[in-house]
């Protein structure tokens, strides 16, 4: 079966506090913080974007995989903030990693679930016998319009995974994956528009909860499991409230979801969100444990994965920086610096 | 910088690929096609340089060319790579007062410059403080 032989995370070092954004827009910081469950979010440096975040996470993933970059047969990056509209992020990342020769490459888009879609597509190529190794990445440097509710949570980060088949190097084996998709207008961004639009309260029940809930229930049925059979559950994290509410609704405990909730301290990293939850879990999971992960992408759909942790995790996880370590390695920026970094100032 | 020139320089800008002369055992960065010491007697090969080093010397840029003026103040340093040559690089993600000669640094992959809002984005190596 296909598994993950290497994983890597990357979170930019800059943070802005929820209270600092609330101060600028004259909102009550305590209310906003409580409403979202997010106390601060990551902000990319002026020289960081989806390509640099992807390259860094993928470099760590390759190191943990322990294979030469030339062996990689495919590289797919899922993001809603590819720096170019035309010109793939993947080709730059491949060059930065030293992947050469026969290489499949394309960028994926499906709001916040493009990274998990990339994993599924690499799995298919490996199962089909087209490639031996492939890299799937989910990364974003997302923006909310100034003053919009999204501005409190839209953050930056990403995670990368090297996949392979029947490999004793497997960190996890992916037992099952499935997807659930409907046409739902909860969140969108048209071409040439800088900031996304969203359907306000419409984003909760008919969008996030319906898709994550349905895909997760479909997966439990397919795998023949109940919440008690799972050690860790990971959901897409647009804020801290949604995944916690989802976990409770489906019968999972706080202990099962807590290790993945990086959103509280870095915000919503979009395509990186559920995947950074997964890397946080991989940093602590023990061989034999079970992980259930379901992503969410507006528009709308969810990809669900059921995984078993393998022995190789023990000798690989310490090779690269861990996710919560990166969450805690930070420097604060104020709103003015943040607007400069995020190019929200109109320059001459 | 022109697009063709940047494209030719991708291996050394993205991955710190330098040159090594098997004759005089010297390492060069940026890479050379002919060993500047041995000339014809030299035997030049590509080599992946170490991504760790320490600050040999540095300067703080407070007045920058237009494409870098949103980044001021920033640090440009001469970095002595482990087992390698001195290279010139920006030190990013730090407060300028934290930079000191002798401090350990490691390579990161970052945006170097953008040719305006519509042009090509140039990527490459920079360094961050490793301690
Ligand atoms: Zn020589």
């Amino acid at each position: 079966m296909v598994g993950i032989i290497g994983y890597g995370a990357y979170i930019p070092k800059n943070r802005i506090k929820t209270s600092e954004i609330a101060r600028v827009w004259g909102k009550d910081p305590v209310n906003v913080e409580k409403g979202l469950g997010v106390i601060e979010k990551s902000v990319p440096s002026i020289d960081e974007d989806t390509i640099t975040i992807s390259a860094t996470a993928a470099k760590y993933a390759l190191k943990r995989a322990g294979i030469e970059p030339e062996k990689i047969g495919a590289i797919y990056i899922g993001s809603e903030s590819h720096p170019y509209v035309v010109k793939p992020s993947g080709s730059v990342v491949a060059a930065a990693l030293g992947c050469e020769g026969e290489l499949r490459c394309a960028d994926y888009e499906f709001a916040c679930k493009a990274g998990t879609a990339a994993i599924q597509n690499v799995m298919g190529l490996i199962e089909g016998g087209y490639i031996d190794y492939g890299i799937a990445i989910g990364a974003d440097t997302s923006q909310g319009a100034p003053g919009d509710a999204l501005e409190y949570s839209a953050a930056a980060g990403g995670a990368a995974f090297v996949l392979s088949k029947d490999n004793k190097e497997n960190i996890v084996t992916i037992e099952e994956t499935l997807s659930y998709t409907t046409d739902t207008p909860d969140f969108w961004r048209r071409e040439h528009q800088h900031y996304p639009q969203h359907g306000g309260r419409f984003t909760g029940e008919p969008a996030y909860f319906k898709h994550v809930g349905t895909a997760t229930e479909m997966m439990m049925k397919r795998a023949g499991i109940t919440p008690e059979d799972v050690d860790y559950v990971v959901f897409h994290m647009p804020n801290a409230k949604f995944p916690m509410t989802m976990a409770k609704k489906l019968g999972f405990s706080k202990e099962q979801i807590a290790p993945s909730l990086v959103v509280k301290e870095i915000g919503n990293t979009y395509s990186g969100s559920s995947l950074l939850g997964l890397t946080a879990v991989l940093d602590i999971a023990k061989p034999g444990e079970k992980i259930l992960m379901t992503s969410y992408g507006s528009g709308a759909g969810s990809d669900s994965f059921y995984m078993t942790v393998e022995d190789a995790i023990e000798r690989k996880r310490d090779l690269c920086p861990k996710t919560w370590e990166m969450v805690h390695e930070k420097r604060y920026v104020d709103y003015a610096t943040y607007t400069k970094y995020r190019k929200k100032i109109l320059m001459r | 910088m022109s697009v063709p020139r940047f494209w030719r320089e991708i291996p050394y800008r993205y991955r710190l690929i330098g040159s090594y002369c098997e004759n005089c055992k010297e390492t060069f960065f940026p890479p050379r096609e002919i060993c500047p010491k041995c000339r014809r007697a030299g035997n030049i090969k590509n080599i992946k340089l170490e991504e760790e080093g320490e600050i040999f010397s540095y300067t703080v840029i407070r007045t920058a060319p237009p494409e870098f003026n949103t980044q001021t103040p920033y640090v440009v340093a001469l970095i002595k790579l482990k087992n390698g040559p001195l290279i010139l690089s920006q030190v990013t993600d730090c407060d300028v007062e934290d930079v000191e000669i002798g401090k350990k640094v490691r390579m990161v992959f970052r945006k170097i410059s953008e040719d305006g809002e519509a042009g090509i984005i140039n990527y490459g190596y920079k360094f961050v403080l490793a301690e």
Side-chain angles (χ1 to χ4, degrees):
Chain A
M1 266 190 282
V2 175
I4 295 169
I5 63 166
Y7 69 98
Y10 182 72
I11 300 161
K13 210 171 161 182
N14 310 300
R15 300 283 179 278
I16 186 164
K17 291 190 180 206
T18 304
S19 56
E20 169 70 1
I21 301 174
R23 179 185 67 82
V24 170
W25 298 107
K27 304 275 190 233
D28 176 16
V30 178
N31 265 350
V32 179
E33 225 176 86
K34 271 197 177 161
L36 295 169
V38 175
I39 56 164
E40 55 202 41
K41 68 165 188 172
S42 65
V43 177
S45 287
I46 207 156
D47 57 2
E48 292 184 300
D49 63 14
T50 289
I51 286 178
T52 66
I53 290 169
S54 297
T56 310
K59 206 168 163 179
Y60 292 145
L62 265 179
K63 191 170 178 190
R64 282 197 176 104
I67 61 162
E68 298 301 315
E70 294 82 16
K71 287 191 173 164
I72 297 298
I75 180 159
Y76 294 117
I77 302 177
S79 179
E80 58 121 64
S81 52
H82 291 291
Y84 291 97
V85 176
V86 178
K87 187 185 181 318
S89 300
S91 60
V92 182
V93 172
L97 297 173
C99 303
E100 288 158 348
E102 192 188 331
L103 181 71
R104 288 154 206 266
C105 177
D107 289 350
Y108 285 152
E109 285 186 20
F110 193 145
C112 300
K113 82 164 191 81
T116 51
I119 294 179
Q120 290 178 328
N121 284 287
V122 171
M123 288 176 71
L125 287 172
I126 292 171
E127 280 291 3
Y130 293 102
I131 60 169
D132 292 325
Y133 299 96
I135 297 182
I137 303 170
D140 261 307
T141 55
S142 298
Q143 298 245 41
D148 189 276
L150 283 176
E151 195 186 15
Y152 295 100
S153 56
F161 301 87
V162 181
L163 297 142
S164 163
K165 192 181 178 181
D166 298 332
N167 199 313
K168 62 177 179 2
E169 292 294 310
N170 273 1
I171 285 172
V172 300
T173 297
I174 302 175
E175 310 280 355
E176 292 282 357
T177 183
L178 58 78
S179 302
Y180 173 67
T181 311
T182 72
D183 182 2
T184 308
D186 57 328
F187 177 95
W188 60 91
R189 179 167 65 89
R190 295 278 300 272
E191 191 154 36
H192 310 303
Q193 293 297 304
H194 197 53
Y195 300 115
Q197 306 272 316
H198 53 90
R201 299 218 169 265
F202 191 56
T203 54
E205 212 47 59
Y208 180 90
F209 293 108
K210 178 182 164 193
H211 292 82
V212 176
T214 304
T216 306
E217 278 173 341
M218 281 164 70
M219 175 53 82
M220 287 197 283
K221 198 174 170 199
R222 168 87 57 90
I225 54 166
T226 62
E228 293 79 56
D229 298 318
V230 174
D231 296 282
Y232 303 96
V233 66
V234 182
F235 294 133
H236 174 56
M237 300 174 265
N239 51 53
K241 285 232 159 140
F242 278 23
M244 286 167 82
T245 306
M246 187 80 262
K248 200 173 169 193
K249 271 189 182 177
L250 292 168
F252 294 95
S253 68
K254 272 185 186 159
E255 290 69 31
Q256 285 168 298
I257 195 158
S260 67
L261 290 177
V262 291
V263 61
K264 293 178 176 179
E265 293 174 55
I266 61 166
N268 177 8
T269 54
Y270 286 58
S271 301
S273 177
S274 54
L275 295 178
L276 282 170
L278 177 60
T279 61
V281 165
L282 293 177
D283 286 338
I284 56 164
K286 292 179 200 67
E289 289 188 324
K290 306 285 186 186
I291 304 169
L292 179 52
M293 171 178 75
T294 305
S295 64
Y296 174 70
S298 294
S302 280
D303 302 325
S304 192
F305 298 80
Y306 181 52
M307 295 167 269
T308 304
V309 182
E310 304 290 351
D311 292 341
I313 188 83
E314 305 279 16
R315 59 188 159 82
K316 288 190 175 187
R317 67 172 128 230
D318 294 333
L319 296 175
C320 302
K322 303 207 175 89
T323 305
W324 278 102
E325 288 169 12
M326 279 185 265
V327 170
H328 293 134
E329 198 196 332
K330 59 192 172 186
R331 57 197 284 252
Y332 287 104
V333 295
D334 58 17
Y335 196 85
T337 309
Y338 161 74
T339 56
K340 190 171 88 169
Y341 282 4
R342 301 306 282 133
K343 295 186 177 171
K344 288 172 195 262
I345 300 177
L346 192 62
M347 300 284 288
R348 193 152 47 93
Chain B
M1 186 185 309
S2 74
V3 172
R5 183 178 150 208
F6 194 88
W7 180 72
R8 280 195 306 275
E9 293 175 352
I10 277 178
Y12 92 75
R13 288 185 181 279
Y14 282 17
R15 286 187 290 130
L16 287 187
I17 303 297
S19 305
Y20 175 73
C21 174
E22 293 193 316
N23 189 42
C24 65
K25 318 285 184 210
E26 277 273 346
T27 307
F28 303 100
F29 189 85
R32 308 284 189 117
E33 284 181 15
I34 295 166
C35 176
K37 284 188 159 179
C38 315
R39 300 283 166 186
R40 277 191 190 175
N43 186 10
I44 286 279
K45 293 208 155 166
N46 281 344
I47 182 175
K48 170 85 183 78
L49 300 178
E50 293 280 343
E51 297 187 356
E52 287 163 24
E54 62 177 53
I55 294 177
F56 180 80
S57 182
Y58 71 95
T59 184
V60 178
I61 310 285
R62 295 183 191 276
T63 310
E67 66 265 44
F68 297 104
N69 68 7
T70 51
Q71 301 187 35
T72 54
Y74 61 90
V75 173
V76 173
L78 265 176
I79 288 157
K80 176 85 181 82
L81 293 179
K82 248 191 208 173
N83 322 317
L86 280 172
I87 81 166
L88 190 67
S89 169
Q90 192 175 330
V91 180
T92 187
D93 274 5
C94 63
D95 297 321
V96 293
E97 50 272 23
D98 292 338
V99 177
E100 281 171 33
I101 288 170
K103 274 204 171 171
K104 300 255 183 298
V105 290
R106 62 182 170 80
M107 194 204 100
V108 292
F109 181 74
R110 294 291 172 95
K111 263 195 298 198
I112 304 298
S113 62
E114 287 176 54
D115 184 9
E117 284 291 305
I120 198 87
I121 307 168
N122 297 316
Y123 295 91
Y125 62 83
K126 285 189 185 178
F127 282 77
V128 291
L129 296 176
E131 52 193 337

